[in-house]
Amino acid sequence: DTGVSQNPRHKITKRGQNVTFRCDPISEHNRLYWYRQTLGQGPEFLTYFQNEAQLEKSRLLSDRFSAERPKGSFSTLEIQRTEQGDSAMYLCASSFVGTGLKLPQTYEQYFGPGTRLTVT
Amino acid sequence: AQSVAQPEDQVNVAEGNPLTVKCTYSVSGNPYLFWYVQYPNRGLQFLLKYITGDNLVKGSYGFEAEFNKSQTSFHLKKPSALVSDSALYFCAALTGGFKTIFGAGTRLFVKA
């Protein structure tokens, strides 16, 4: 397993356009998280999946943001009608928490390299 | 509101000297605590965690952290700093079983 991957690594878009990012977690990790990180700040929680179910979404997240994790594998994060304030690094992370015997519970998260979004 | 505080934006230390990066938390219940490191142009990497048990936990690259419940702190330490330790360090708390709250980060500079 090569870890968490994210695509694209960089995205430049014009204000008002829609963008979609993809995250491929570590296989067999049942939890997947999306964060946003701006310069000088720690990652800010956006949303979280347990398998394919989206269990929590930050109140800070506007309705322009939507995330999916079909079949509990990869996930996509879409931002509609982008604004300049959306410019940030978008991070994906995965972990395993459960009672399965195949993997120890990790609780710690394994992060991808991030997608840097610039809205012009 | 629940929060994680890293009171120092930057820590400077000479190579070979001990280092401490401070972290305090304000969360309900018994949080799980973590330290992550971020090198330039790379994703966050897990360093160590406190779940339960011994208050002193050891992690990657010779780092350790001490959990202090009465002071609600989880300071990161290393006995002898290396230039290669220079990076951005984040303290984090896992609350309510799933949501992780991160501190703002502390930039560590180790001078040769």
Side-chain angles (χ1 to χ4, degrees):
Chain A
D1 198 329
T2 56
V4 179
S5 62
Q6 292 186 245
N7 288 288
R9 295 290 306 275
H10 303 274
K11 179 70 176 179
I12 300 174
T13 190
K14 292 184 178 180
R15 190 177 56 185
Q17 297 295 305
N18 298 344
V19 295
T20 300
F21 309 142
R22 176 177 171 128
C23 170
D24 288 88
I26 292 173
S27 58
E28 296 184 334
H29 274 191
N30 56 358
R31 289 190 175 183
L32 187 146
Y33 307 78
W34 284 99
Y35 294 89
R36 178 170 58 193
Q37 186 179 22
T38 54
L39 202 61
Q41 297 297 319
E44 176 188 23
F45 172 81
L46 293 179
T47 191
Y48 144 76
F49 290 84
Q50 173 95 8
N51 299 312
E52 68 276 7
Q54 186 176 17
L55 298 187
E56 183 73 13
K57 189 174 174 180
S58 170
R59 295 175 193 173
L60 302 175
L61 214 57
S62 78
D63 291 341
R64 297 184 297 105
F65 287 72
S66 63
E68 294 182 341
R69 192 184 182 197
K71 302 178 183 178
S73 56
F74 71 92
S75 176
T76 58
L77 177 68
E78 181 183 17
I79 308 174
Q80 296 181 329
R81 305 180 303 282
T82 52
E83 302 173 356
Q84 287 187 322
D86 297 332
S87 295
M89 178 75 85
Y90 289 84
L91 302 174
C92 175
S94 69
S95 68
F96 179 80
V97 180
T99 57
L101 298 177
K102 288 191 293 184
L103 285 177
Q105 297 198 66
T106 62
Y107 290 108
E108 66 269 22
Q109 294 167 36
Y110 293 83
F111 283 81
T115 295
R116 183 169 297 282
L117 173 66
T118 303
V119 181
T120 61
Chain B
Q2 302 189 102
S3 63
V4 172
Q6 293 181 241
E8 302 154 315
D9 290 337
Q10 184 170 309
V11 169
N12 298 309
V13 64
E15 188 174 33
N17 283 0
L19 70 87
T20 298
V21 182
K22 296 179 180 177
C23 171
T24 58
Y25 63 91
S26 175
V27 300
S28 56
N30 296 312
Y32 297 168
L33 300 166
F34 306 83
W35 277 100
Y36 292 87
V37 59
Q38 189 171 36
Y39 297 101
N41 300 315
R42 295 181 65 179
L44 277 79
Q45 297 176 31
F46 167 73
L47 268 183
L48 51 77
K49 65 184 174 188
Y50 173 82
I51 303 296
T52 187
D54 228 349
N55 288 344
L56 185 65
V57 292
K58 295 186 184 296
S60 308
Y61 313 120
F63 283 93
E64 56 190 29
E66 187 166 12
F67 170 66
N68 188 317
K69 188 172 184 178
S70 62
Q71 297 185 3
T72 62
S73 68
F74 189 56
H75 300 330
L76 181 70
K77 300 181 180 183
K78 187 173 183 181
S80 179
L82 299 172
V83 172
S84 57
D85 293 330
S86 299
L88 188 55
Y89 290 81
F90 291 98
C91 181
L94 178 62
T95 70
F98 65 87
K99 183 175 179 178
T100 300
I101 301 171
F102 284 82
T106 298
R107 189 164 296 281
L108 173 67
F109 285 102
V110 181
K111 192 174 180 182

PDB file of all heavy atoms in Angstrom, chain B residues 32-56:
ATOM      1  N   TYR B  32      -8.096  11.596  23.048  1.00  0.00           N
ATOM      2  CA  TYR B  32      -6.876  10.973  22.559  1.00  0.00           C
ATOM      3  C   TYR B  32      -6.033  12.109  21.974  1.00  0.00           C
ATOM      4  O   TYR B  32      -6.547  12.956  21.243  1.00  0.00           O
ATOM      5  CB  TYR B  32      -7.181   9.934  21.485  1.00  0.00           C
ATOM      6  CG  TYR B  32      -8.004   8.761  21.959  1.00  0.00           C
ATOM      7  CD1 TYR B  32      -8.556   7.872  21.047  1.00  0.00           C
ATOM      8  CD2 TYR B  32      -8.232   8.525  23.314  1.00  0.00           C
ATOM      9  CE1 TYR B  32      -9.310   6.787  21.463  1.00  0.00           C
ATOM     10  CE2 TYR B  32      -8.983   7.447  23.731  1.00  0.00           C
ATOM     11  CZ  TYR B  32      -9.533   6.582  22.807  1.00  0.00           C
ATOM     12  OH  TYR B  32     -10.274   5.506  23.211  1.00  0.00           O
ATOM     13  N   LEU B  33      -4.742  12.111  22.266  1.00  0.00           N
ATOM     14  CA  LEU B  33      -3.876  13.223  21.876  1.00  0.00           C
ATOM     15  C   LEU B  33      -2.797  12.756  20.916  1.00  0.00           C
ATOM     16  O   LEU B  33      -2.274  11.641  21.055  1.00  0.00           O
ATOM     17  CB  LEU B  33      -3.248  13.845  23.131  1.00  0.00           C
ATOM     18  CG  LEU B  33      -4.261  14.400  24.132  1.00  0.00           C
ATOM     19  CD1 LEU B  33      -3.603  14.684  25.467  1.00  0.00           C
ATOM     20  CD2 LEU B  33      -4.925  15.661  23.588  1.00  0.00           C
ATOM     21  N   PHE B  34      -2.445  13.618  19.995  1.00  0.00           N
ATOM     22  CA  PHE B  34      -1.523  13.256  18.921  1.00  0.00           C
ATOM     23  C   PHE B  34      -0.557  14.403  18.647  1.00  0.00           C
ATOM     24  O   PHE B  34      -0.866  15.568  18.876  1.00  0.00           O
ATOM     25  CB  PHE B  34      -2.279  12.966  17.621  1.00  0.00           C
ATOM     26  CG  PHE B  34      -3.360  11.935  17.743  1.00  0.00           C
ATOM     27  CD1 PHE B  34      -4.617  12.275  18.200  1.00  0.00           C
ATOM     28  CD2 PHE B  34      -3.107  10.612  17.399  1.00  0.00           C
ATOM     29  CE1 PHE B  34      -5.618  11.332  18.331  1.00  0.00           C
ATOM     30  CE2 PHE B  34      -4.104   9.658  17.520  1.00  0.00           C
ATOM     31  CZ  PHE B  34      -5.357  10.018  17.982  1.00  0.00           C
ATOM     32  N   TRP B  35       0.594  14.039  18.102  1.00  0.00           N
ATOM     33  CA  TRP B  35       1.494  14.988  17.480  1.00  0.00           C
ATOM     34  C   TRP B  35       1.744  14.543  16.051  1.00  0.00           C
ATOM     35  O   TRP B  35       1.987  13.358  15.790  1.00  0.00           O
ATOM     36  CB  TRP B  35       2.831  15.075  18.224  1.00  0.00           C
ATOM     37  CG  TRP B  35       2.796  15.983  19.413  1.00  0.00           C
ATOM     38  CD1 TRP B  35       2.674  15.639  20.722  1.00  0.00           C
ATOM     39  CD2 TRP B  35       2.907  17.412  19.392  1.00  0.00           C
ATOM     40  NE1 TRP B  35       2.690  16.758  21.513  1.00  0.00           N
ATOM     41  CE2 TRP B  35       2.826  17.865  20.726  1.00  0.00           C
ATOM     42  CE3 TRP B  35       3.071  18.361  18.375  1.00  0.00           C
ATOM     43  CZ2 TRP B  35       2.907  19.216  21.074  1.00  0.00           C
ATOM     44  CZ3 TRP B  35       3.144  19.697  18.723  1.00  0.00           C
ATOM     45  CH2 TRP B  35       3.064  20.116  20.056  1.00  0.00           C
ATOM     46  N   TYR B  36       1.669  15.535  15.164  1.00  0.00           N
ATOM     47  CA  TYR B  36       1.967  15.325  13.752  1.00  0.00           C
ATOM     48  C   TYR B  36       3.058  16.307  13.344  1.00  0.00           C
ATOM     49  O   TYR B  36       3.194  17.384  13.913  1.00  0.00           O
ATOM     50  CB  TYR B  36       0.733  15.581  12.885  1.00  0.00           C
ATOM     51  CG  TYR B  36      -0.378  14.575  13.050  1.00  0.00           C
ATOM     52  CD1 TYR B  36      -1.344  14.724  14.043  1.00  0.00           C
ATOM     53  CD2 TYR B  36      -0.487  13.486  12.194  1.00  0.00           C
ATOM     54  CE1 TYR B  36      -2.383  13.810  14.185  1.00  0.00           C
ATOM     55  CE2 TYR B  36      -1.514  12.570  12.329  1.00  0.00           C
ATOM     56  CZ  TYR B  36      -2.455  12.742  13.320  1.00  0.00           C
ATOM     57  OH  TYR B  36      -3.468  11.827  13.453  1.00  0.00           O
ATOM     58  N   VAL B  37       3.812  15.932  12.316  1.00  0.00           N
ATOM     59  CA  VAL B  37       4.852  16.809  11.791  1.00  0.00           C
ATOM     60  C   VAL B  37       4.613  17.014  10.305  1.00  0.00           C
ATOM     61  O   VAL B  37       4.148  16.107   9.603  1.00  0.00           O
ATOM     62  CB  VAL B  37       6.260  16.223  12.046  1.00  0.00           C
ATOM     63  CG1 VAL B  37       6.427  14.856  11.402  1.00  0.00           C
ATOM     64  CG2 VAL B  37       7.345  17.174  11.564  1.00  0.00           C
ATOM     65  N   GLN B  38       4.899  18.227   9.851  1.00  0.00           N
ATOM     66  CA  GLN B  38       4.719  18.554   8.439  1.00  0.00           C
ATOM     67  C   GLN B  38       6.010  19.147   7.894  1.00  0.00           C
ATOM     68  O   GLN B  38       6.442  20.214   8.338  1.00  0.00           O
ATOM     69  CB  GLN B  38       3.567  19.544   8.262  1.00  0.00           C
ATOM     70  CG  GLN B  38       3.164  19.789   6.819  1.00  0.00           C
ATOM     71  CD  GLN B  38       1.884  20.615   6.725  1.00  0.00           C
ATOM     72  OE1 GLN B  38       1.638  21.507   7.520  1.00  0.00           O
ATOM     73  NE2 GLN B  38       1.065  20.302   5.732  1.00  0.00           N
ATOM     74  N   TYR B  39       6.615  18.431   6.962  1.00  0.00           N
ATOM     75  CA  TYR B  39       7.795  18.929   6.289  1.00  0.00           C
ATOM     76  C   TYR B  39       7.367  19.691   5.035  1.00  0.00           C
ATOM     77  O   TYR B  39       6.272  19.443   4.501  1.00  0.00           O
ATOM     78  CB  TYR B  39       8.724  17.773   5.923  1.00  0.00           C
ATOM     79  CG  TYR B  39       9.251  17.040   7.127  1.00  0.00           C
ATOM     80  CD1 TYR B  39       8.705  15.819   7.519  1.00  0.00           C
ATOM     81  CD2 TYR B  39      10.294  17.563   7.893  1.00  0.00           C
ATOM     82  CE1 TYR B  39       9.173  15.143   8.635  1.00  0.00           C
ATOM     83  CE2 TYR B  39      10.764  16.897   9.011  1.00  0.00           C
ATOM     84  CZ  TYR B  39      10.194  15.689   9.367  1.00  0.00           C
ATOM     85  OH  TYR B  39      10.660  15.027  10.472  1.00  0.00           O
ATOM     86  N   PRO B  40       8.187  20.603   4.546  1.00  0.00           N
ATOM     87  CA  PRO B  40       7.818  21.387   3.359  1.00  0.00           C
ATOM     88  C   PRO B  40       7.408  20.498   2.186  1.00  0.00           C
ATOM     89  O   PRO B  40       8.076  19.503   1.889  1.00  0.00           O
ATOM     90  CB  PRO B  40       9.097  22.165   3.049  1.00  0.00           C
ATOM     91  CG  PRO B  40       9.805  22.272   4.352  1.00  0.00           C
ATOM     92  CD  PRO B  40       9.495  20.994   5.078  1.00  0.00           C
ATOM     93  N   ASN B  41       6.293  20.854   1.566  1.00  0.00           N
ATOM     94  CA  ASN B  41       5.784  20.151   0.387  1.00  0.00           C
ATOM     95  C   ASN B  41       5.458  18.684   0.653  1.00  0.00           C
ATOM     96  O   ASN B  41       5.456  17.870  -0.288  1.00  0.00           O
ATOM     97  CB  ASN B  41       6.781  20.265  -0.774  1.00  0.00           C
ATOM     98  CG  ASN B  41       7.022  21.710  -1.158  1.00  0.00           C
ATOM     99  OD1 ASN B  41       6.081  22.493  -1.263  1.00  0.00           O
ATOM    100  ND2 ASN B  41       8.274  22.082  -1.321  1.00  0.00           N
ATOM    101  N   ARG B  42       5.202  18.368   1.902  1.00  0.00           N
ATOM    102  CA  ARG B  42       4.824  16.988   2.220  1.00  0.00           C
ATOM    103  C   ARG B  42       3.610  16.990   3.134  1.00  0.00           C
ATOM    104  O   ARG B  42       3.332  17.981   3.828  1.00  0.00           O
ATOM    105  CB  ARG B  42       5.989  16.262   2.882  1.00  0.00           C
ATOM    106  CG  ARG B  42       7.185  16.106   1.946  1.00  0.00           C
ATOM    107  CD  ARG B  42       8.313  15.383   2.586  1.00  0.00           C
ATOM    108  NE  ARG B  42       7.981  14.002   2.911  1.00  0.00           N
ATOM    109  CZ  ARG B  42       8.836  13.159   3.477  1.00  0.00           C
ATOM    110  NH1 ARG B  42      10.044  13.561   3.774  1.00  0.00           N
ATOM    111  NH2 ARG B  42       8.481  11.934   3.755  1.00  0.00           N
ATOM    112  N   GLY B  43       2.891  15.889   3.132  1.00  0.00           N
ATOM    113  CA  GLY B  43       1.708  15.788   3.984  1.00  0.00           C
ATOM    114  C   GLY B  43       2.064  15.628   5.447  1.00  0.00           C
ATOM    115  O   GLY B  43       3.209  15.367   5.796  1.00  0.00           O
ATOM    116  N   LEU B  44       1.083  15.785   6.297  1.00  0.00           N
ATOM    117  CA  LEU B  44       1.288  15.579   7.732  1.00  0.00           C
ATOM    118  C   LEU B  44       1.632  14.129   8.006  1.00  0.00           C
ATOM    119  O   LEU B  44       1.044  13.214   7.433  1.00  0.00           O
ATOM    120  CB  LEU B  44       0.030  15.932   8.525  1.00  0.00           C
ATOM    121  CG  LEU B  44      -0.184  17.396   8.871  1.00  0.00           C
ATOM    122  CD1 LEU B  44      -0.718  18.146   7.670  1.00  0.00           C
ATOM    123  CD2 LEU B  44      -1.137  17.535  10.036  1.00  0.00           C
ATOM    124  N   GLN B  45       2.581  13.954   8.900  1.00  0.00           N
ATOM    125  CA  GLN B  45       2.982  12.604   9.306  1.00  0.00           C
ATOM    126  C   GLN B  45       2.754  12.422  10.792  1.00  0.00           C
ATOM    127  O   GLN B  45       3.081  13.293  11.587  1.00  0.00           O
ATOM    128  CB  GLN B  45       4.465  12.379   9.004  1.00  0.00           C
ATOM    129  CG  GLN B  45       4.833  12.447   7.542  1.00  0.00           C
ATOM    130  CD  GLN B  45       6.325  12.310   7.343  1.00  0.00           C
ATOM    131  OE1 GLN B  45       7.011  11.629   8.113  1.00  0.00           O
ATOM    132  NE2 GLN B  45       6.850  12.945   6.319  1.00  0.00           N
ATOM    133  N   PHE B  46       2.224  11.284  11.148  1.00  0.00           N
ATOM    134  CA  PHE B  46       1.981  10.946  12.537  1.00  0.00           C
ATOM    135  C   PHE B  46       3.300  10.721  13.265  1.00  0.00           C
ATOM    136  O   PHE B  46       4.192  10.047  12.759  1.00  0.00           O
ATOM    137  CB  PHE B  46       1.111   9.692  12.585  1.00  0.00           C
ATOM    138  CG  PHE B  46       1.038   9.048  13.928  1.00  0.00           C
ATOM    139  CD1 PHE B  46       0.320   9.620  14.953  1.00  0.00           C
ATOM    140  CD2 PHE B  46       1.688   7.835  14.156  1.00  0.00           C
ATOM    141  CE1 PHE B  46       0.254   9.018  16.198  1.00  0.00           C
ATOM    142  CE2 PHE B  46       1.619   7.218  15.387  1.00  0.00           C
ATOM    143  CZ  PHE B  46       0.908   7.807  16.408  1.00  0.00           C
ATOM    144  N   LEU B  47       3.428  11.310  14.462  1.00  0.00           N
ATOM    145  CA  LEU B  47       4.621  11.132  15.282  1.00  0.00           C
ATOM    146  C   LEU B  47       4.363  10.211  16.467  1.00  0.00           C
ATOM    147  O   LEU B  47       5.115   9.265  16.702  1.00  0.00           O
ATOM    148  CB  LEU B  47       5.096  12.476  15.843  1.00  0.00           C
ATOM    149  CG  LEU B  47       6.119  13.281  15.055  1.00  0.00           C
ATOM    150  CD1 LEU B  47       6.492  14.527  15.857  1.00  0.00           C
ATOM    151  CD2 LEU B  47       7.357  12.460  14.744  1.00  0.00           C
ATOM    152  N   LEU B  48       3.335  10.538  17.234  1.00  0.00           N
ATOM    153  CA  LEU B  48       3.033   9.736  18.416  1.00  0.00           C
ATOM    154  C   LEU B  48       1.641  10.064  18.920  1.00  0.00           C
ATOM    155  O   LEU B  48       1.031  11.036  18.489  1.00  0.00           O
ATOM    156  CB  LEU B  48       4.076   9.981  19.519  1.00  0.00           C
ATOM    157  CG  LEU B  48       4.398  11.403  19.931  1.00  0.00           C
ATOM    158  CD1 LEU B  48       3.340  11.998  20.821  1.00  0.00           C
ATOM    159  CD2 LEU B  48       5.757  11.469  20.644  1.00  0.00           C
ATOM    160  N   LYS B  49       1.179   9.229  19.855  1.00  0.00           N
ATOM    161  CA  LYS B  49      -0.163   9.421  20.382  1.00  0.00           C
ATOM    162  C   LYS B  49      -0.219   9.000  21.840  1.00  0.00           C
ATOM    163  O   LYS B  49       0.565   8.151  22.282  1.00  0.00           O
ATOM    164  CB  LYS B  49      -1.182   8.608  19.581  1.00  0.00           C
ATOM    165  CG  LYS B  49      -0.987   7.095  19.705  1.00  0.00           C
ATOM    166  CD  LYS B  49      -1.959   6.338  18.802  1.00  0.00           C
ATOM    167  CE  LYS B  49      -1.651   4.837  18.841  1.00  0.00           C
ATOM    168  NZ  LYS B  49      -2.433   4.082  17.841  1.00  0.00           N
ATOM    169  N   TYR B  50      -1.166   9.599  22.558  1.00  0.00           N
ATOM    170  CA  TYR B  50      -1.522   9.148  23.889  1.00  0.00           C
ATOM    171  C   TYR B  50      -2.977   8.712  23.848  1.00  0.00           C
ATOM    172  O   TYR B  50      -3.858   9.512  23.502  1.00  0.00           O
ATOM    173  CB  TYR B  50      -1.338  10.253  24.934  1.00  0.00           C
ATOM    174  CG  TYR B  50      -1.862   9.835  26.283  1.00  0.00           C
ATOM    175  CD1 TYR B  50      -1.093   9.046  27.127  1.00  0.00           C
ATOM    176  CD2 TYR B  50      -3.149  10.178  26.699  1.00  0.00           C
ATOM    177  CE1 TYR B  50      -1.580   8.624  28.351  1.00  0.00           C
ATOM    178  CE2 TYR B  50      -3.643   9.761  27.916  1.00  0.00           C
ATOM    179  CZ  TYR B  50      -2.859   8.982  28.739  1.00  0.00           C
ATOM    180  OH  TYR B  50      -3.349   8.561  29.947  1.00  0.00           O
ATOM    181  N   ILE B  51      -3.208   7.466  24.223  1.00  0.00           N
ATOM    182  CA  ILE B  51      -4.575   6.952  24.307  1.00  0.00           C
ATOM    183  C   ILE B  51      -4.932   6.720  25.778  1.00  0.00           C
ATOM    184  O   ILE B  51      -5.913   7.230  26.293  1.00  0.00           O
ATOM    185  CB  ILE B  51      -4.749   5.658  23.501  1.00  0.00           C
ATOM    186  CG1 ILE B  51      -4.353   5.887  22.024  1.00  0.00           C
ATOM    187  CG2 ILE B  51      -6.173   5.141  23.603  1.00  0.00           C
ATOM    188  CD1 ILE B  51      -5.218   6.868  21.294  1.00  0.00           C
ATOM    189  N   THR B  52      -4.129   5.934  26.432  1.00  0.00           N
ATOM    190  CA  THR B  52      -4.321   5.639  27.844  1.00  0.00           C
ATOM    191  C   THR B  52      -3.022   5.050  28.379  1.00  0.00           C
ATOM    192  O   THR B  52      -2.106   4.747  27.618  1.00  0.00           O
ATOM    193  CB  THR B  52      -5.496   4.659  28.039  1.00  0.00           C
ATOM    194  OG1 THR B  52      -5.754   4.518  29.438  1.00  0.00           O
ATOM    195  CG2 THR B  52      -5.166   3.290  27.464  1.00  0.00           C
ATOM    196  N   GLY B  53      -2.934   4.912  29.707  1.00  0.00           N
ATOM    197  CA  GLY B  53      -1.763   4.253  30.272  1.00  0.00           C
ATOM    198  C   GLY B  53      -0.661   5.218  30.648  1.00  0.00           C
ATOM    199  O   GLY B  53      -0.908   6.306  31.169  1.00  0.00           O
ATOM    200  N   ASP B  54       0.559   4.822  30.385  1.00  0.00           N
ATOM    201  CA  ASP B  54       1.743   5.593  30.762  1.00  0.00           C
ATOM    202  C   ASP B  54       1.668   7.028  30.249  1.00  0.00           C
ATOM    203  O   ASP B  54       1.352   7.259  29.074  1.00  0.00           O
ATOM    204  CB  ASP B  54       2.983   4.929  30.164  1.00  0.00           C
ATOM    205  CG  ASP B  54       4.070   4.775  31.182  1.00  0.00           C
ATOM    206  OD1 ASP B  54       3.943   5.364  32.264  1.00  0.00           O
ATOM    207  OD2 ASP B  54       5.048   4.069  30.892  1.00  0.00           O
ATOM    208  N   ASN B  55       1.978   7.975  31.128  1.00  0.00           N
ATOM    209  CA  ASN B  55       1.885   9.381  30.727  1.00  0.00           C
ATOM    210  C   ASN B  55       2.975   9.790  29.751  1.00  0.00           C
ATOM    211  O   ASN B  55       2.850  10.792  29.054  1.00  0.00           O
ATOM    212  CB  ASN B  55       1.938  10.279  31.957  1.00  0.00           C
ATOM    213  CG  ASN B  55       0.663  10.193  32.772  1.00  0.00           C
ATOM    214  OD1 ASN B  55      -0.359   9.711  32.307  1.00  0.00           O
ATOM    215  ND2 ASN B  55       0.728  10.671  33.999  1.00  0.00           N
ATOM    216  N   LEU B  56       4.073   9.050  29.719  1.00  0.00           N
ATOM    217  CA  LEU B  56       5.166   9.355  28.793  1.00  0.00           C
ATOM    218  C   LEU B  56       5.075   8.389  27.619  1.00  0.00           C
ATOM    219  O   LEU B  56       5.181   7.182  27.798  1.00  0.00           O
ATOM    220  CB  LEU B  56       6.513   9.224  29.500  1.00  0.00           C
ATOM    221  CG  LEU B  56       7.730   9.631  28.668  1.00  0.00           C
ATOM    222  CD1 LEU B  56       7.690  11.123  28.357  1.00  0.00           C
ATOM    223  CD2 LEU B  56       9.014   9.274  29.396  1.00  0.00           C
TER     224      LEU B  56
END
